[in-house]
């Protein structure tokens, strides 16, 4: 039997080179260890952008007329302008999907029963969570993100993403649509998301993480672009093996390599999942920062191409579903 993680070996696009990623700290509250992730509200705190001066302010804003986002955008522009050919900077806006029916089910049954029993099923006869859709609460969370972007674009000078990428799972496809559709975006930066296979959640066992077909995605999200090589049916999900944490980090590192080597954009949006974003943060050297459903985290990323083979890393094998040590079916009430 094949192992889901074997499809995503941590290969580099270069034979004798690799990209080293680091988070440039001191610009967002989320990269400060003193910031409490569980209590953080990005929409009330300007996405976490820290009010501070930059050493480019004198040339760009001598009269102190620009917004914090405008001055930060110019600072990042200067970083890239002054960098050599082996160094680049991007700002990643990473958003977690709104609450899905699988999130509700896990909360209802509890994580032990969810992991050992319920997550293996398509639903419970009342609610379906295979390739889970978002709930009404999830819709509302995505609309909070939409309202933030609408206000920040109009009044705070936040740069709109130049590129949009989304997981192929429905909860992300829909969250991205609700977040960015209908915004007053610059004509040169339209909302035209690209569906990326590698941007998905941990692969295997949980039916909520088994994607729908390419034809279904195209029919229901016709304005989305689907990356080349995207298979009609999910080629990676297995019912009895789940991707390990280290394999997931390697997969998301491969996604970063793809974006950083093929996309010249500086301002990039990812719509993804808690586990995938956690793996991205790990690959970027960022502190652990858990997002609530609908949450968003920005990261200033420094990417340096190193002229030697990549360091070796240990990839743990996939795992099977845990044995149930609790009764997965709650006793009837009343």
């Amino acid at each position: 039997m094949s192992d889901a993680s074997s499809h995503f070996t941590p290969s580099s696009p270069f034979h004798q080179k690799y990209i080293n990623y680091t988070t440039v700290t001191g610009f967002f509250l989320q990269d400060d260890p003193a910031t409490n992730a569980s209590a953080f509200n990005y929409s009330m705190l300007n996405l976490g952008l820290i009010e501070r001066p930059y050493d480019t302010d004198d040339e760009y804003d001598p009269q102190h007329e620009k917004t914090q986002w405008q001055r930060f955008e110019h600072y990042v522009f200067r970083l890239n302008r002054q960098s050599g050919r082996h160094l680049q900077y991007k700002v990643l806006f990473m958003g977690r999907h709104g609450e899905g029916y699988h999130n509700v089910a896990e909360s209802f049954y509890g994580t032990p029963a969810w992991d050992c029993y319920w997550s293996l099923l398509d639903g419970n006869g009342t609610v379906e969570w295979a390739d889970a859709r978002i709930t009404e609460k999830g819709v509302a969370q995505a609309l909070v993100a939409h309202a933030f972007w609408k206000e920040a674009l109009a009044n705070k000078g936040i740069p709109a993403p130049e590129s949009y990428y989304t997981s192929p799972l429905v909860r992300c496809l829909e969250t991205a649509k609700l977040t960015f559709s209908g915004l007053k975006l610059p004509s040169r930066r339209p909302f035209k998301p690209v569906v990326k296979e590698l941007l998905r959640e941990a692969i295997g066992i949980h039916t909520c993480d088994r994607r729908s077909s390419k034809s279904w995605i195209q029919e229901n999200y016709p304005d989305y672009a689907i990356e080349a090589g995207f298979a009609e049916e999910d080629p990676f999900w297995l019912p009895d093996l789940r991707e390990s944490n280290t394999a997931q980090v390697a997969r998301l590192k491969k996604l970063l390599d793809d974006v950083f080597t093929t996309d010249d954009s500086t301002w990039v949006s990812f719509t993804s999942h808690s586990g995938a974003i956690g793996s991205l943060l790990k690959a970027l050297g960022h502190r652990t920062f858990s997002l609530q459903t609908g949450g968003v985290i920005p990261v200033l990323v420094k990417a340096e191409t190193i002229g030697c083979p990549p360091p070796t890393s240990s990839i743990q094998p996939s795992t099977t579903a845990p044995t149930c040590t609790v009764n997965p079916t709650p006793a009837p009430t009343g």
Side-chain angles (χ1 to χ4, degrees), residues 78 163 189 237-238 247 253 295:
R78 277 296 181 197
S163 299
R189 298 184 180 185
W237 185 89
L238 296 172
K253 168 64 164 60

Side-chain angles (χ1 to χ4, degrees), residues 13-62:
F14 308 102
H15 295 297
Q16 296 297 323
K17 299 178 181 179
Y18 75 98
I19 303 177
N20 183 62
Y21 299 99
T22 54
T23 295
V24 187
T25 60
F27 296 91
F28 295 102
L29 292 169
Q30 293 94 321
D31 59 53
D32 184 347
T35 301
N36 181 358
S38 63
F40 189 80
N41 187 330
Y42 77 90
S43 66
M44 301 296 292
L45 293 169
N46 200 22
L47 213 59
L49 184 65
I50 295 171
E51 289 284 343
R52 52 157 291 180
Y54 307 117
D55 58 17
T56 53
D57 285 349
D58 287 345
E59 66 171 24
Y60 177 68
D61 187 28

Side-chain angles (χ1 to χ4, degrees), residues 27-28 47 49 54 68-80 88-94 149 157-165 188-190 259-260 263-270 298-301:
F27 296 91
F28 295 102
L47 213 59
L49 184 65
Y54 307 117
Q68 186 70 43
W69 276 109
Q70 289 170 327
R71 291 188 293 108
F72 178 58
E73 181 180 24
H74 182 76
Y75 177 80
V76 175
F77 168 78
R78 277 296 181 197
L79 285 178
N80 279 316
Q88 61 175 309
Y89 295 85
K90 293 186 189 295
V91 176
L92 304 182
F93 299 113
M94 294 183 282
W149 278 102
I158 191 172
E162 298 167 279
S163 299
Y164 300 84
Y165 298 101
R188 68 185 185 281
R189 298 184 180 185
V259 171
F260 274 75
D263 189 340
D264 293 334
S265 300
T266 300
W267 304 86
V268 178
S269 169
F270 289 161
V299 182
L300 175 58
V301 179

